[in-house]
Amino acid sequence: FYWDVVARHCGDTVIVVTHGMALLALAAALRSVHISEYWHNKIFIGNTSVTIVSFASGVPNIELFNSVEHLTE
């Protein structure tokens, strides 16, 4: 899914809304680690959290992961 979105929207800004498990699977794939790494380290995705992934020069970069800063107001 991710690579399809990148190919279709090269140079665009895209928002994807998803559930936490799908985001964990994407993060694991982008980091080339098994998703169990997140489970063993008890990393969970917070409700309404924000994750930003950029894609430049053929390389994905997780710029922000699981941020809930917007909830502090």
Side-chain angles (χ1 to χ4, degrees):
F1 170 78
Y2 177 77
W3 296 111
D4 185 47
V5 171
V6 169
R8 287 184 184 200
H9 300 282
C10 184
D12 295 339
T13 298
V14 177
I15 184 170
V16 176
V17 179
T18 186
H19 292 278
M21 189 60 170
L23 184 55
L24 283 177
L26 175 61
L30 294 177
R31 291 183 56 229
S32 298
V33 298
H34 194 273
I35 195 166
S36 64
E37 293 281 325
Y38 290 101
W39 286 112
H40 292 307
N41 293 310
K42 299 185 191 285
I43 297 173
F44 299 101
I45 300 296
N47 291 334
T48 75
S49 68
V50 176
T51 295
I52 298 174
V53 179
S54 64
F55 187 85
S57 301
V59 179
N61 179 46
I62 299 174
E63 295 183 29
L64 184 67
F65 184 72
N66 198 27
S67 173
V68 292
E69 290 181 29
H70 59 284
L71 298 178
T72 60
E73 297 178 5

Coordinates of all heavy atoms in Angstrom, one line a residue:
F1 N 0.8 -1.2 0.0 CA 0.0 0.0 0.0 C 0.9 1.3 0.0 O 0.6 2.2 -0.8 CB -0.9 0.0 1.2 CG -1.6 1.3 1.4 CD1 -2.7 1.7 0.6 CD2 -1.2 2.2 2.4 CE1 -3.4 2.9 0.8 CE2 -1.9 3.4 2.6 CZ -3.0 3.7 1.8
Y2 N 1.8 1.3 0.9 CA 2.7 2.5 1.0 C 3.4 2.8 -0.3 O 3.4 4.0 -0.8 CB 3.7 2.3 2.1 CG 4.7 3.5 2.3 CD1 4.2 4.6 2.9 CD2 5.9 3.4 1.8 CE1 5.1 5.7 3.0 CE2 6.8 4.5 1.9 CZ 6.4 5.6 2.5 OH 7.2 6.7 2.7
W3 N 4.0 1.8 -0.9 CA 4.7 2.1 -2.1 C 3.8 2.5 -3.3 O 4.2 3.3 -4.1 CB 5.6 0.8 -2.5 CG 6.6 0.6 -1.5 CD1 6.6 -0.5 -0.6 CD2 7.7 1.4 -1.1 NE1 7.7 -0.4 0.2 CE2 8.4 0.8 -0.1 CE3 8.2 2.6 -1.6 CZ2 9.6 1.3 0.5 CZ3 9.4 3.1 -1.1 CH2 10.0 2.5 0.0
D4 N 2.6 2.0 -3.3 CA 1.6 2.4 -4.3 C 1.3 3.8 -4.1 O 1.2 4.6 -5.1 CB 0.4 1.5 -4.2 CG -0.6 1.8 -5.3 OD1 -0.2 1.9 -6.4 OD2 -1.8 1.9 -4.9
V5 N 1.1 4.3 -2.9 CA 0.7 5.7 -2.6 C 1.9 6.6 -3.0 O 1.7 7.6 -3.6 CB 0.4 5.9 -1.1 CG1 0.3 7.4 -0.8 CG2 -0.9 5.2 -0.8
V6 N 3.1 6.2 -2.7 CA 4.3 6.9 -3.0 C 4.4 7.1 -4.6 O 4.7 8.2 -5.1 CB 5.6 6.3 -2.5 CG1 6.9 6.9 -3.1 CG2 5.6 6.4 -0.9
A7 N 4.2 6.0 -5.3 CA 4.3 6.0 -6.7 C 3.2 6.9 -7.4 O 3.5 7.7 -8.3 CB 4.2 4.6 -7.3
R8 N 2.0 6.8 -6.8 CA 0.9 7.6 -7.4 C 1.0 9.1 -7.1 O 0.4 9.9 -7.8 CB -0.4 7.1 -6.9 CG -0.8 5.8 -7.5 CD -2.2 5.4 -7.0 NE -2.5 4.0 -7.5 CZ -3.7 3.6 -7.6 NH1 -4.7 4.4 -7.2 NH2 -4.0 2.4 -8.0
H9 N 1.6 9.4 -6.0 CA 1.6 10.8 -5.5 C 2.9 11.4 -5.3 O 3.2 12.2 -4.3 CB 0.8 10.9 -4.2 CG -0.6 10.4 -4.3 ND1 -1.6 11.2 -4.9 CD2 -1.2 9.2 -4.0 CE1 -2.8 10.5 -4.9 NE2 -2.5 9.3 -4.4
C10 N 3.9 11.0 -6.1 CA 5.2 11.5 -6.0 C 5.2 13.1 -6.0 O 4.7 13.7 -6.8 CB 6.0 11.0 -7.2 SG 7.8 11.5 -7.2
G11 N 5.9 13.6 -5.0 CA 6.0 15.0 -4.8 C 4.8 15.7 -4.1 O 4.8 16.9 -3.8
D12 N 3.7 14.9 -3.9 CA 2.5 15.4 -3.2 C 2.6 15.2 -1.7 O 3.3 14.4 -1.2 CB 1.2 14.7 -3.7 CG 1.0 15.0 -5.2 OD1 1.4 16.0 -5.7 OD2 0.2 14.2 -5.8
T13 N 1.7 15.9 -1.0 CA 1.5 15.7 0.4 C 0.3 14.8 0.5 O -0.8 15.2 0.0 CB 1.3 17.0 1.2 OG1 2.5 17.8 1.1 CG2 1.1 16.7 2.7
V14 N 0.4 13.7 1.3 CA -0.8 12.8 1.4 C -1.0 12.5 2.8 O -0.1 12.4 3.6 CB -0.4 11.5 0.7 CG1 -1.5 10.4 0.8 CG2 -0.1 11.7 -0.8
I15 N -2.3 12.4 3.2 CA -2.6 12.0 4.6 C -3.3 10.7 4.5 O -4.1 10.4 3.7 CB -3.5 13.0 5.3 CG1 -3.8 12.6 6.7 CG2 -4.8 13.2 4.5 CD1 -4.5 13.7 7.6
V16 N -2.8 9.8 5.4 CA -3.4 8.4 5.5 C -3.9 8.3 7.0 O -3.1 8.5 7.9 CB -2.4 7.4 5.2 CG1 -3.0 6.0 5.4 CG2 -1.9 7.5 3.8
V17 N -5.1 7.9 7.1 CA -5.7 7.7 8.4 C -5.9 6.2 8.6 O -6.4 5.5 7.7 CB -7.1 8.4 8.6 CG1 -7.7 8.1 9.9 CG2 -6.9 9.9 8.3
T18 N -5.4 5.6 9.7 CA -5.4 4.2 9.9 C -5.4 3.8 11.4 O -5.4 4.7 12.2 CB -4.1 3.6 9.2 OG1 -4.2 2.2 9.3 CG2 -2.8 4.0 9.9
H19 N -5.5 2.6 11.6 CA -5.5 2.0 13.0 C -4.0 1.8 13.4 O -3.1 1.7 12.6 CB -6.3 0.7 13.1 CG -7.7 0.9 12.9 ND1 -8.6 1.3 13.9 CD2 -8.5 0.8 11.8 CE1 -9.8 1.4 13.4 NE2 -9.8 1.1 12.1
G20 N -3.8 1.7 14.7 CA -2.5 1.6 15.2 C -1.7 0.4 14.7 O -0.5 0.4 14.4
M21 N -2.4 -0.8 14.6 CA -1.6 -2.0 14.2 C -1.1 -1.8 12.7 O 0.0 -2.3 12.4 CB -2.6 -3.2 14.3 CG -1.8 -4.5 14.1 SD -0.5 -4.6 15.3 CE 0.0 -6.3 15.0
A22 N -1.9 -1.2 11.9 CA -1.5 -1.0 10.5 C -0.3 -0.1 10.5 O 0.7 -0.3 9.7 CB -2.6 -0.4 9.6
L23 N -0.3 0.9 11.3 CA 0.8 1.9 11.4 C 2.1 1.2 12.0 O 3.2 1.4 11.5 CB 0.5 3.1 12.3 CG 1.5 4.2 12.3 CD1 1.9 4.7 11.0 CD2 1.0 5.3 13.2
L24 N 1.9 0.3 12.9 CA 3.1 -0.4 13.4 C 3.7 -1.3 12.4 O 4.9 -1.4 12.2 CB 2.7 -1.3 14.6 CG 2.5 -0.6 16.0 CD1 2.0 -1.5 17.1 CD2 3.8 0.1 16.4
A25 N 2.8 -2.0 11.6 CA 3.3 -2.8 10.5 C 4.0 -2.0 9.4 O 5.1 -2.4 9.0 CB 2.1 -3.5 9.8
L26 N 3.5 -0.8 9.1 CA 4.2 0.1 8.2 C 5.6 0.5 8.7 O 6.6 0.4 8.0 CB 3.3 1.3 7.8 CG 4.0 2.3 6.9 CD1 4.4 1.7 5.6 CD2 3.1 3.5 6.8
A27 N 5.6 0.9 10.0 CA 6.8 1.4 10.6 C 7.9 0.3 10.6 O 9.0 0.5 10.3 CB 6.6 1.9 12.0
A28 N 7.4 -0.9 10.9 CA 8.3 -2.1 10.9 C 8.9 -2.3 9.5 O 10.1 -2.6 9.4 CB 7.6 -3.3 11.5
A29 N 8.0 -2.3 8.5 CA 8.5 -2.5 7.2 C 9.4 -1.5 6.7 O 10.4 -1.8 6.1 CB 7.2 -2.6 6.2
L30 N 9.2 -0.2 7.0 CA 10.1 0.9 6.6 C 11.4 0.8 7.3 O 12.4 1.2 6.7 CB 9.4 2.2 6.9 CG 8.2 2.6 6.1 CD1 7.6 3.9 6.5 CD2 8.5 2.5 4.6
R31 N 11.5 0.2 8.5 CA 12.7 0.1 9.2 C 13.4 -1.3 8.9 O 14.4 -1.6 9.5 CB 12.5 0.2 10.7 CG 12.1 1.7 11.1 CD 11.9 1.8 12.6 NE 13.1 1.4 13.3 CZ 13.1 0.6 14.4 NH1 12.0 0.1 14.8 NH2 14.3 0.3 14.9
S32 N 12.7 -2.1 8.2 CA 13.2 -3.5 7.8 C 13.4 -4.3 9.1 O 14.4 -5.0 9.2 CB 14.5 -3.4 7.0 OG 14.3 -2.7 5.8
V33 N 12.5 -4.2 10.0 CA 12.5 -5.1 11.2 C 11.2 -5.8 11.3 O 10.2 -5.4 10.7 CB 12.7 -4.2 12.5 CG1 14.0 -3.5 12.5 CG2 11.5 -3.3 12.8
H34 N 11.2 -6.9 12.0 CA 9.9 -7.7 12.2 C 9.0 -6.9 13.2 O 9.5 -6.3 14.1 CB 10.3 -9.1 12.8 CG 9.1 -10.0 12.6 ND1 8.2 -10.1 13.6 CD2 8.8 -10.9 11.7 CE1 7.3 -11.0 13.2 NE2 7.6 -11.5 12.0
I35 N 7.7 -7.0 13.0 CA 6.8 -6.3 13.8 C 6.9 -6.7 15.3 O 6.5 -5.9 16.2 CB 5.3 -6.4 13.3 CG1 4.4 -5.4 13.9 CG2 4.8 -7.8 13.4 CD1 3.1 -5.2 13.2
S36 N 7.4 -7.9 15.5 CA 7.5 -8.4 16.9 C 8.4 -7.5 17.7 O 8.4 -7.4 18.9 CB 8.0 -9.8 17.0 OG 9.3 -9.9 16.4
E37 N 9.3 -6.7 17.0 CA 10.2 -5.8 17.7 C 9.4 -4.8 18.5 O 9.8 -4.4 19.6 CB 11.1 -5.0 16.7 CG 12.1 -5.9 16.0 CD 13.3 -6.2 16.9 OE1 13.7 -5.3 17.7 OE2 13.8 -7.3 16.8
Y38 N 8.3 -4.3 17.9 CA 7.4 -3.4 18.6 C 6.7 -4.0 19.7 O 6.6 -3.4 20.8 CB 6.4 -2.7 17.6 CG 7.1 -1.8 16.6 CD1 7.4 -2.2 15.3 CD2 7.5 -0.5 17.0 CE1 8.0 -1.4 14.4 CE2 8.1 0.3 16.1 CZ 8.4 -0.1 14.8 OH 9.0 0.7 13.9
W39 N 6.2 -5.2 19.5 CA 5.5 -5.9 20.6 C 6.4 -6.2 21.8 O 6.0 -6.0 22.9 CB 4.8 -7.2 20.1 CG 3.7 -6.9 19.2 CD1 3.6 -7.2 17.8 CD2 2.4 -6.4 19.6 NE1 2.4 -6.8 17.4 CE2 1.6 -6.3 18.4 CE3 1.9 -5.9 20.8 CZ2 0.3 -5.8 18.4 CZ3 0.6 -5.4 20.8 CH2 -0.2 -5.4 19.6
H40 N 7.6 -6.7 21.5 CA 8.5 -7.1 22.6 C 8.9 -5.8 23.4 O 9.2 -5.9 24.6 CB 9.7 -7.8 22.1 CG 9.4 -9.2 21.5 ND1 8.7 -10.1 22.2 CD2 9.7 -9.7 20.3 CE1 8.6 -11.2 21.5 NE2 9.2 -11.0 20.3
N41 N 9.0 -4.7 22.8 CA 9.3 -3.5 23.4 C 8.1 -2.7 23.9 O 8.3 -1.5 24.4 CB 10.2 -2.6 22.5 CG 11.5 -3.2 22.2 OD1 12.2 -3.6 23.2 ND2 11.9 -3.3 21.0
K42 N 7.0 -3.3 23.8 CA 5.7 -2.7 24.3 C 5.5 -1.3 23.7 O 5.1 -0.4 24.4 CB 5.6 -2.7 25.8 CG 5.7 -4.1 26.4 CD 5.5 -4.1 27.9 CE 5.8 -5.4 28.5 NZ 5.0 -6.4 28.4
I43 N 5.7 -1.2 22.4 CA 5.4 0.1 21.7 C 4.0 0.0 21.2 O 3.7 -0.9 20.4 CB 6.4 0.4 20.6 CG1 7.8 0.5 21.2 CG2 6.1 1.6 19.8 CD1 8.9 0.6 20.2
F44 N 3.2 0.9 21.6 CA 1.8 1.0 21.1 C 1.5 2.3 20.5 O 2.1 3.3 20.9 CB 0.8 0.6 22.3 CG 1.0 -0.7 22.8 CD1 1.7 -0.9 24.0 CD2 0.5 -1.8 22.2 CE1 1.9 -2.1 24.6 CE2 0.8 -3.1 22.7 CZ 1.4 -3.2 23.9
I45 N 0.6 2.4 19.6 CA 0.2 3.7 19.0 C -0.9 4.3 19.8 O -2.0 3.7 20.0 CB -0.3 3.4 17.5 CG1 0.8 2.8 16.7 CG2 -0.7 4.7 16.9 CD1 2.1 3.6 16.6
G46 N -0.7 5.6 20.2 CA -1.7 6.3 21.0 C -2.9 6.7 20.1 O -2.7 7.0 18.9
N47 N -4.1 6.8 20.7 CA -5.2 7.3 20.0 C -5.0 8.7 19.5 O -4.5 9.5 20.2 CB -6.5 7.2 20.8 CG -6.9 5.8 21.2 OD1 -6.7 4.9 20.4 ND2 -7.6 5.7 22.3
T48 N -5.3 8.9 18.2 CA -5.2 10.2 17.5 C -3.7 10.7 17.4 O -3.4 11.8 17.1 CB -6.0 11.4 18.2 OG1 -5.4 11.8 19.4 CG2 -7.4 11.0 18.4
S49 N -2.8 9.8 17.6 CA -1.4 10.1 17.4 C -1.0 10.5 16.0 O -1.8 10.1 15.1 CB -0.4 9.0 17.9 OG -0.5 7.9 17.1
V50 N 0.1 11.2 15.8 CA 0.5 11.6 14.5 C 1.9 11.0 14.2 O 2.8 11.1 15.0 CB 0.6 13.2 14.4 CG1 1.1 13.6 13.1 CG2 -0.8 13.8 14.7
T51 N 2.0 10.5 13.0 CA 3.2 9.9 12.5 C 3.5 10.6 11.1 O 2.6 10.6 10.3 CB 3.2 8.4 12.4 OG1 3.1 7.9 13.7 CG2 4.5 7.9 11.7
I52 N 4.7 11.0 10.9 CA 5.0 11.7 9.6 C 6.1 10.9 9.0 O 7.2 10.6 9.6 CB 5.5 13.1 9.8 CG1 4.3 14.0 10.4 CG2 5.9 13.7 8.4 CD1 4.7 15.4 10.7
V53 N 5.9 10.4 7.7 CA 6.8 9.7 6.9 C 7.1 10.5 5.7 O 6.2 10.8 4.9 CB 6.3 8.3 6.6 CG1 7.4 7.5 5.7 CG2 6.0 7.5 7.8
S54 N 8.3 10.8 5.4 CA 8.7 11.5 4.2 C 9.4 10.5 3.3 O 9.9 9.4 3.7 CB 9.6 12.7 4.4 OG 10.8 12.3 5.0
F55 N 9.5 10.8 2.0 CA 10.1 9.9 1.0 C 11.0 10.8 0.1 O 10.4 11.6 -0.6 CB 9.0 9.2 0.2 CG 9.5 8.1 -0.7 CD1 9.8 6.9 -0.2 CD2 9.8 8.4 -2.0 CE1 10.2 5.9 -1.1 CE2 10.2 7.4 -2.9 CZ 10.5 6.2 -2.4
A56 N 12.3 10.6 0.2 CA 13.2 11.4 -0.7 C 14.3 10.6 -1.2 O 14.8 9.7 -0.5 CB 13.7 12.6 0.1
S57 N 14.6 10.8 -2.4 CA 15.7 10.0 -3.1 C 15.6 8.5 -2.9 O 16.5 7.8 -2.7 CB 17.1 10.5 -2.5 OG 17.3 11.9 -2.7
G58 N 14.3 8.0 -3.0 CA 14.1 6.6 -2.9 C 14.1 6.0 -1.5 O 14.1 4.8 -1.4
V59 N 14.3 6.9 -0.5 CA 14.4 6.4 0.9 C 13.3 6.9 1.8 O 13.2 8.1 1.9 CB 15.8 6.7 1.4 CG1 16.0 6.2 2.8 CG2 16.9 6.2 0.5
P60 N 12.5 6.0 2.4 CA 11.5 6.5 3.4 C 12.2 6.9 4.7 O 13.2 6.4 5.1 CB 10.6 5.3 3.6 CG 11.5 4.1 3.3 CD 12.5 4.6 2.3
N61 N 11.7 8.0 5.3 CA 12.2 8.5 6.6 C 11.0 8.7 7.5 O 10.1 9.5 7.2 CB 13.0 9.7 6.3 CG 13.6 10.3 7.6 OD1 14.1 9.6 8.4 ND2 13.4 11.6 7.8
I62 N 11.1 8.1 8.7 CA 10.1 8.4 9.7 C 10.5 9.6 10.5 O 11.5 9.6 11.3 CB 9.9 7.2 10.7 CG1 9.4 6.0 9.9 CG2 8.9 7.5 11.8 CD1 9.3 4.7 10.7
E63 N 9.9 10.8 10.2 CA 10.3 12.0 10.8 C 9.6 12.2 12.2 O 10.2 12.9 13.1 CB 9.8 13.2 9.9 CG 10.6 13.2 8.6 CD 10.2 14.4 7.7 OE1 9.8 15.5 8.3 OE2 10.2 14.3 6.5
L64 N 8.5 11.7 12.4 CA 7.7 11.9 13.7 C 7.0 10.6 13.9 O 6.3 10.1 12.9 CB 6.8 13.1 13.6 CG 6.0 13.4 14.9 CD1 7.0 13.9 15.9 CD2 5.0 14.5 14.5
F65 N 7.0 10.0 15.1 CA 6.4 8.7 15.3 C 5.5 8.8 16.6 O 6.0 9.1 17.7 CB 7.4 7.6 15.4 CG 6.8 6.2 15.6 CD1 6.2 5.6 14.5 CD2 6.9 5.6 16.8 CE1 5.6 4.4 14.7 CE2 6.3 4.3 17.0 CZ 5.7 3.7 15.9
N66 N 4.2 8.5 16.4 CA 3.4 8.3 17.6 C 3.3 9.6 18.5 O 3.2 9.5 19.7 CB 3.8 7.1 18.4 CG 2.7 6.6 19.3 OD1 1.6 6.8 19.1 ND2 3.2 6.0 20.4
S67 N 3.3 10.8 17.9 CA 3.3 12.0 18.6 C 1.8 12.3 19.1 O 0.9 12.3 18.3 CB 3.8 13.2 17.8 OG 3.6 14.4 18.5
V68 N 1.7 12.7 20.4 CA 0.4 13.1 20.9 C 0.5 14.5 21.5 O -0.3 14.9 22.3 CB -0.1 12.1 22.0 CG1 -0.5 10.8 21.3 CG2 0.9 11.9 23.1
E69 N 1.5 15.3 21.0 CA 1.7 16.7 21.5 C 0.4 17.5 21.3 O 0.2 18.4 22.1 CB 2.9 17.3 20.8 CG 4.2 16.7 21.1 CD 5.3 17.4 20.5 OE1 5.2 18.6 20.1 OE2 6.4 16.8 20.2
H70 N -0.4 17.3 20.3 CA -1.5 18.1 20.0 C -2.6 17.9 21.1 O -3.6 18.6 21.1 CB -2.1 17.8 18.6 CG -2.5 16.3 18.5 ND1 -1.6 15.3 18.3 CD2 -3.7 15.7 18.5 CE1 -2.2 14.2 18.2 NE2 -3.5 14.4 18.3
L71 N -2.5 16.9 21.9 CA -3.5 16.6 23.0 C -3.2 17.4 24.3 O -4.0 17.3 25.2 CB -3.5 15.1 23.3 CG -3.9 14.2 22.1 CD1 -3.9 12.7 22.5 CD2 -5.3 14.6 21.6
T72 N -2.1 18.1 24.3 CA -1.7 18.8 25.6 C -2.5 20.1 25.8 O -2.4 20.7 26.8 CB -0.2 19.0 25.7 OG1 0.2 19.8 24.6 CG2 0.5 17.7 25.6
E73 N -3.2 20.6 24.8 CA -3.9 21.9 24.9 C -5.1 21.8 25.8 O -5.8 20.8 25.9 CB -4.2 22.4 23.6 CG -3.0 22.6 22.7 CD -3.4 23.1 21.3 OE1 -4.6 23.4 21.0 OE2 -2.5 23.3 20.6

